[in-house]
Amino acid sequence: MTPFEAEKDSVVNCVFTGDNKVYYCVACKPKILLRCVDLEQADPQPQELADWGIPYEKCVTETYGTVSPLEYYRGRNQLGLWYDFSWDSYSLTRRKLYNMETGTVTEVDWDTWEREGADSDDDEYRYISTRNELQEYLSTEDGNYYFTDGTPVCLSDQIDPKKYVSSPEYYIGAEYDYVSSSPDNTKVLYMIIVEYGDFPHGILAISSTDGKLQIPLEDTDCTGYTAEWLDDGSLVYVGEEPLSPDDPDYNANWHYRTHCIKRVYPDGHIDIIAHCGEFVKKQSLLH
């Protein structure tokens, strides 16, 4: 990892594009600004592109305090930023677009957006369409999760869901929900939901389709997770670790934890690869 020391402001989201550039937003309160870095340059420097014309606080959710992701619509050559949180939908409800050709920012006109439709060459849509290849083989039976392509294989019988409920009276029994599969379709990432509040809660888990490898990601939650597969079959996700006694926020009487980024390798062992709480994957082009 290489710290990008040329950027002095607080980066709140980013996205890679196919031309080896990184577009990102910075919080310059009360504003949120769009910038870009060209990774092809020997000494890349931040280039300011636009003021979104939205107060920064309008781009922050009122549920978990997270900032809107920056979205890239390759087929339309546009970037999108959501804002204006609503408790009716528990989400940000409005969106602005940055046109990468003209450098202009506009509000989404939904009729035009729907009429144009998703471009068939848009990597975002093609990537999403490939993530669900194993979903049709998965089902829940008798409180467990099964993969069936011939003989049924249990994916969850080595995991005790009750361990992950905050209080016994909230336990609803285990519910399972598919998230994604590894690039070679030998592993499944899924949710184990054990209770409900405003959102479902529980943990993420990884299982091989033969049921032999079952890994509960105990430092995750079904709501608000970040997890991505790498081409080698590893999974990278945002987890947690206890604070070090050397940390100024450490208190021996409290179980303070901090976010970190972990990598689950194909053989199941897990390493911490970064001490931060957000990441973005650079997608390879699909053909």
Side-chain angles (χ1 to χ4, degrees), residues 25-175:
C25 295
V26 294
C28 293
K29 297 179 182 178
K31 296 180 177 181
I32 182 167
L33 306 176
L34 178 66
R35 293 180 182 165
C36 176
V37 171
D38 186 348
L39 299 180
E40 299 287 356
Q41 296 179 356
D43 181 25
Q45 296 295 312
Q47 178 186 357
E48 189 154 311
L49 301 177
D51 180 344
W52 285 101
I54 310 165
Y56 166 75
E57 297 298 334
K58 283 281 189 179
C59 299
V60 180
T61 67
E62 295 181 31
T63 48
Y64 288 91
T66 53
V67 179
S68 167
L70 187 61
E71 297 181 344
Y72 173 42
Y73 312 110
R74 180 176 179 270
R76 306 181 191 220
N77 208 25
Q78 293 178 326
L79 302 172
L81 184 72
W82 290 86
Y83 70 102
D84 208 2
F85 183 85
S86 170
W87 281 105
D88 291 336
S89 61
Y90 287 82
S91 64
L92 300 166
T93 58
R94 300 172 67 186
R95 180 172 45 167
K96 284 202 172 185
L97 297 174
Y98 173 78
N99 188 307
M100 298 163 71
E101 293 181 1
T102 64
T104 56
V105 174
T106 57
E107 188 82 18
V108 168
D109 176 77
W110 286 104
D111 290 340
T112 301
W113 183 265
E114 293 296 328
R115 184 170 62 251
E116 290 177 351
D119 191 298
S120 60
D121 289 331
D122 194 319
D123 289 337
E124 178 194 19
Y125 290 98
R126 286 193 289 159
Y127 173 69
I128 291 173
S129 69
T130 64
R131 291 192 299 185
N132 301 320
E133 292 182 2
L134 296 184
Q135 190 167 14
E136 64 182 288
Y137 301 101
L138 300 167
S139 62
T140 300
E141 299 289 342
D142 301 324
N144 273 306
Y145 207 35
Y146 284 87
F147 174 80
T148 303
D149 184 17
T151 303
V153 175
C154 188
L155 305 183
S156 60
D157 54 353
Q158 300 173 25
I159 302 172
D160 180 8
K162 292 181 181 179
K163 284 181 58 179
Y164 309 110
V165 69
S166 61
S167 181
E169 62 265 28
Y170 297 147
Y171 186 58
I172 60 169
E175 295 181 6

